[in-house]
């Protein structure tokens, strides 16, 4: 089995209203050094694959099919055999 | 004309749409998201609500509901396909309309009645409205209604007269205040405002009636043409 940890975030060019609200709140808490906040999504997906390269291809395929919207989001992932 | 209103798990404007259609003497059925054959219908309506709880992204899970293959087939056949609010979100996720609906610029749910400008008064969905009678007052109710598409896509939408409705004011941060668009061929429409909630004086709003009259007029013309 493989465990993929997938991090989905908005592309840099996309306004993230939730991130902006969180940034404002951090400033109100006096963390004035905070310059940018992005609120993303995190997935842990356990699945079977024959080998690591097949598993990586599978993560790419299912992430791009459902987990992200190509218009606005990008992703990275970590993969481990478990 | 026979219309289908597709009910997804979490749809909550399905009966509003059904009521509006039948108020215009349109024969309508509410059909399940498991339906795989929509061939008997001339027009398909995807109603507002929170399909599949809006989990992941609005419309992202509904896009893979069994009925969507039939919705895409109907769109390709040139049938009228309308997505209101969550239906609009589903149509963009399914790739039937360009762009995406994102969280409102100021986070939170907006429930209001807002002035809408009719950008294209010659579409299947707006032909009985006249540009000079704008704006029309139509209810909105959404948390993820900020229309976004990249600059090139927006330019193409305007060049092909696909921008149908715009907000008169900056309601939710949508690019260029866009509230509703069609596909390139003009038979698939998505819009965040709810014309089906503005068809009855008893409920305080009737500016949505032109939307349904336009669709009826379009279909009648098509029949005459054949």
């Amino acid at each position: 089995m493989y465990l993929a940890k997938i991090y989905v975030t908005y592309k840099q060019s996309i306004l993230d209203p939730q991130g902006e609200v969180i940034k404002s709140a951090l400033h109100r808490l006096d963390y004035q050094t905070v310059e940018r906040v992005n609120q993303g999504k995190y997935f842990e997906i356990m699945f079977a694959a024959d080998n690591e390269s097949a598993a990586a291809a599978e993560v790419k395929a299912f992430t791009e099919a459902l987990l992200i919207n190509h218009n606005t989001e990008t992703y990275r992932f970590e993969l481990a055999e478990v | 004309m026979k219309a289908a209103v597709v009910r997804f798990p979490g749809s909550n404007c399905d009966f509003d749409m059904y009521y509006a259609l039948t108020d215009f003497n349109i024969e309508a059925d509410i059909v399940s998201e498991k339906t795989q054959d929509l061939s008997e219908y001339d027009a398909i309506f995807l109603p507002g609500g929170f399909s599949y709880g809006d989990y992941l992204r609005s419309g992202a899970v509904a896009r893979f509901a069994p009925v969507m293959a039939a919705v895409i087939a109907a769109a390709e056949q040139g049938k009228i396909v309308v997505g209101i609010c969550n239906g609009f979100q589903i149509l963009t996720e399914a790739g039937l309309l360009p762009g995406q609906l994102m969280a409102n610029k100021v986070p939170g749910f907006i429930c209001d009645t807002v002035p809408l400008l009719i950008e294209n008064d010659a579409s299947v969905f707006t032909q009985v409205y006249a540009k000079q009678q704008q704006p029309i007052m139509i209810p909105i109710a959404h948390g993820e209604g900020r229309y976004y598409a990249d600059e090139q896509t927006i330019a193409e939408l305007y060049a092909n007269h696909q921008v149908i409705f715009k907000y008169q004011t900056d309601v939710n941060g949508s690019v260029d205040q866009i509230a509703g668009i069609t596909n390139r061929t003009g038979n698939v429409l998505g819009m965040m405002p709810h014309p089906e909630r503005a068809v009855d004086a008893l409920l305080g709003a009737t500016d949505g009636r032109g939307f349904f009259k336009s669709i009826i007029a379009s279909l009648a013309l098509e029949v005459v043409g054949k």
Side-chain angles (χ1 to χ4, degrees), chain B residues 15-204:
Chain B
F15 193 78
D16 297 35
M17 181 58 77
Y18 175 84
Y19 174 84
L21 291 167
T22 55
D23 194 46
F24 288 96
N25 293 320
I26 297 169
E27 188 183 355
D29 292 333
I30 293 179
V31 304
S32 133
E33 90 289 358
K34 295 191 178 76
T35 306
Q36 298 199 26
D37 181 4
L38 294 173
S39 58
E40 66 178 297
Y41 299 102
D42 306 298
I44 319 293
F45 293 82
L46 308 186
F50 299 86
S51 56
Y52 299 89
D54 271 359
Y55 290 170
L56 189 61
R57 299 178 305 276
S58 309
V61 178
R63 167 199 170 177
F64 294 103
V67 74
M68 287 308 293
V71 173
I72 290 167
E76 286 171 353
Q77 288 161 18
K79 290 184 179 179
I80 286 175
V81 176
V82 171
I84 305 291
C85 202
N86 191 227
F88 187 12
Q89 294 160 342
I90 295 168
L91 291 176
T92 58
E93 285 286 340
L96 286 172
L97 292 173
Q100 182 184 352
L101 283 309
M102 305 184 68
N104 297 337
K105 185 170 72 178
V106 177
F109 196 88
I110 309 170
C111 191
D112 203 352
T113 297
V114 298
L116 274 193
L117 306 174
I118 293 157
E119 177 73 11
N120 176 352
D121 63 355
S123 83
V124 168
F125 309 96
T126 51
Q127 58 174 306
V128 308
Y129 292 113
K131 268 199 170 178
Q132 53 270 30
Q133 78 176 52
Q134 60 186 290
I136 57 172
M137 297 300 292
I138 302 289
I140 57 165
H142 58 247
E144 298 186 25
R146 176 168 55 115
Y147 182 72
Y148 171 82
D150 62 33
E151 278 181 28
Q152 188 191 335
T153 304
I154 297 291
E156 286 171 8
L157 288 174
Y158 279 111
N160 299 318
H161 309 289
Q162 292 171 250
V163 179
I164 307 299
F165 297 107
K166 291 175 69 164
Y167 301 108
Q168 192 176 40
T169 57
D170 185 11
V171 166
N172 55 22
S174 292
V175 176
D176 220 29
Q177 296 176 195
I178 289 173
I181 58 168
T182 64
N183 63 345
R184 184 87 183 247
T185 47
N187 62 307
V188 178
L189 170 101
M191 63 189 293
M192 287 311 295
H194 288 270
E196 81 282 10
R197 293 188 189 173
V199 296
D200 197 326
L202 190 64
L203 299 176

Side-chain angles (χ1 to χ4, degrees), chain A residues 6-7 10 20 22 27 30 36-37 39 42 44 46 51 54 58 64 68 72 74 77 80 82:
Chain A
I6 303 157
Y7 306 82
Y10 286 127
E20 291 297 312
I22 295 163
H27 286 172
D30 222 17
R36 181 183 168 93
V37 177
Q39 179 174 294
Y42 172 66
E44 289 186 355
M46 188 93 81
N51 53 56
E58 190 81 348
E64 294 183 8
I68 69 159
T72 54
T74 184
F77 65 89
V82 290

